[in-house]
Amino acid sequence: MNKTNTVIEATNVLPNESSVIITDQQKSWKDYLTLGKVGIVTSNLITTFAGLFLAAKYSGISLGDNLHIVLFAMLGAALVMAGGCTLNNFIDRDIDPIMERTKERPSVNGRFQANHILWIGLIQSGLGIMLLAFINSVAAVIGIIGLFVYVVLYTMWSKRTHSLNTVVGSISGAVPPLIGWAALDPGLHTYAWLLFFIMFFWQPPHFLALAMKRCEEYRAAGIPMLPVVAGFEMTKRQMVLYVAILIPVSLMLAPFGLVYTIVAAVLGAGWLILGIAGFKMKDDIKWARLMFVYSLNYLTILFVLMVIVHI
């Protein structure tokens, strides 16, 4: 570990009793959702559902006859992801105040005590794993692995020690479609693993774009993101490499049909062209912003399309 301390005492700074009552009544749910990073959870649930839907199609299972499994899988996956994110907030209380985009999190601004955040994360994670275990052990084990990688291997270790932290985090980020698939088909078809690898190779260019945008914040917090330790040129090369690898991986799902294949090829080619254009653009931050937005659209369109072409 580097000099950054991962566990510190929380500071309980509350304005006054009346403002606390207002916060509890009007902002409590918003704060809980913020701790669980609802935006990240929601986007990942799209890939979880895609895994469920495709598993049903290729296993000959009716989703309509297994709505309880769909409900348990979606809710369980959501709770595991929210739990991991909440624990991430608990662990990162020392660095979040330094970064502009995280300094207003409830874990920083005094709305919650540290122990409260810890218990929220543990309860969310535990309930999520229990729901997945009600379905089958494979889904639960995949959830546990994803949670462990994100909380321990990424948040507590690699994020603070090595520029490969993004790659480590990509393992946990690629788990949601596997959870969805395993809920209906514990045997995990080859397509399930292709969904995993699409998610895995998608994440480095997505998060490295964010790291470029927030490079100075990461530097101030002592987090060795690739743009901080290796510079923008190396980061650009890494991003383009991952996009180039992602294209043929996504095209391995060509059996999904001509429409999917064409759209996946066009989306991938567009992202690669944008990536290569970054070597000539003078404004690196503007390019990183474009890459970040493109990555979000790429993932959403691709996984929604996977479902649509199978309806």
Side-chain angles (χ1 to χ4, degrees), residues 210-290:
L210 176 62
M212 286 181 65
K213 290 169 55 183
R214 302 290 184 174
C215 181
E216 295 309 314
E217 294 180 36
Y218 282 114
R219 193 188 311 277
I223 303 302
M225 300 299 290
L226 187 62
V228 174
V229 301
F232 283 0
E233 288 301 310
M234 174 60 76
T235 303
K236 288 179 182 180
R237 289 198 291 270
Q238 289 291 311
M239 291 168 69
V240 170
L241 176 62
Y242 279 108
V243 173
I245 296 173
L246 175 60
I247 294 173
V249 173
S250 67
L251 293 178
M252 289 181 185
L253 292 175
F256 283 7
L258 184 61
V259 173
Y260 168 82
T261 303
I262 292 174
V263 174
V266 171
L267 284 173
W271 198 3
L272 185 61
I273 291 170
L274 177 60
I276 294 172
F279 294 109
K280 294 185 177 181
M281 287 183 65
K282 294 181 179 180
D283 191 336
D284 289 331
I285 302 303
K286 179 180 179 180
W287 174 81
R289 189 177 299 113
L290 292 172

Side-chain angles (χ1 to χ4, degrees), residues 1 6 151-162 168:
M1 300 294 287
T6 60
V151 174
V152 178
L153 298 186
Y154 171 69
T155 304
M156 295 181 68
W157 173 57
S158 63
K159 180 177 180 179
R160 297 164 180 264
T161 60
H162 204 285
V168 175

Side-chain angles (χ1 to χ4, degrees), residues 21-301:
I21 294 174
I22 293 174
T23 298
D24 287 343
Q25 292 178 344
Q26 298 180 357
K27 297 184 178 180
S28 59
W29 281 110
K30 179 180 178 181
D31 289 336
Y32 281 110
L33 292 175
T34 300
L35 281 176
K37 302 181 182 179
V38 65
I40 293 177
V41 172
T42 302
S43 62
N44 277 285
L45 283 179
I46 295 175
T47 69
T48 305
F49 180 77
L52 272 164
F53 188 88
L54 293 172
K57 286 294 181 180
Y58 287 95
S59 301
I61 298 173
S62 170
L63 280 182
D65 294 337
N66 292 277
L67 289 179
H68 62 293
I69 294 180
V70 175
L71 178 62
F72 281 6
M74 295 294 286
L75 185 56
L79 284 169
V80 170
M81 289 185 280
C85 290
T86 300
L87 292 173
N88 171 274
N89 280 326
F90 170 77
I91 296 165
D92 282 352
R93 296 183 334 279
D94 56 336
I95 60 175
D96 282 348
I98 302 172
M99 302 185 65
E100 187 68 26
R101 74 183 184 91
T102 58
K103 68 179 183 180
E104 292 301 323
R105 285 177 174 174
S107 52
V108 176
N109 60 22
R111 294 189 192 278
F112 293 105
Q113 295 183 354
N115 286 342
H116 191 178
I117 299 170
L118 176 61
W119 278 109
I120 293 170
L122 291 175
I123 291 171
Q124 288 172 326
S125 302
L127 288 175
I129 296 301
M130 286 176 59
L131 286 173
L132 295 179
F134 284 148
I135 302 172
N136 61 60
S137 60
V138 175
V141 168
I142 293 173
I144 291 171
I145 292 173
L147 184 66
F148 177 79
V149 171
Y150 182 69
V151 174
V152 178
L153 298 186
Y154 171 69
T155 304
M156 295 181 68
W157 173 57
S158 63
K159 180 177 180 179
R160 297 164 180 264
T161 60
H162 204 285
S163 61
L164 288 175
N165 51 29
T166 306
V167 178
V168 175
S170 295
I171 298 172
S172 58
V175 158
L178 277 187
I179 293 176
W181 197 294
L184 288 175
D185 174 21
L188 295 176
H189 191 283
T190 302
Y191 291 158
W193 290 106
L194 287 174
L195 297 182
F196 171 88
F197 283 112
I198 287 174
M199 289 290 293
F200 177 82
F201 289 115
W202 170 84
Q203 285 175 97
H206 170 74
F207 285 106
L208 288 176
L210 176 62
M212 286 181 65
K213 290 169 55 183
R214 302 290 184 174
C215 181
E216 295 309 314
E217 294 180 36
Y218 282 114
R219 193 188 311 277
I223 303 302
M225 300 299 290
L226 187 62
V228 174
V229 301
F232 283 0
E233 288 301 310
M234 174 60 76
T235 303
K236 288 179 182 180
R237 289 198 291 270
Q238 289 291 311
M239 291 168 69
V240 170
L241 176 62
Y242 279 108
V243 173
I245 296 173
L246 175 60
I247 294 173
V249 173
S250 67
L251 293 178
M252 289 181 185
L253 292 175
F256 283 7
L258 184 61
V259 173
Y260 168 82
T261 303
I262 292 174
V263 174
V266 171
L267 284 173
W271 198 3
L272 185 61
I273 291 170
L274 177 60
I276 294 172
F279 294 109
K280 294 185 177 181
M281 287 183 65
K282 294 181 179 180
D283 191 336
D284 289 331
I285 302 303
K286 179 180 179 180
W287 174 81
R289 189 177 299 113
L290 292 172
M291 288 289 284
F292 183 79
V293 172
Y294 194 104
S295 69
L296 291 173
N297 287 304
Y298 175 94
L299 188 71
T300 303
I301 293 171

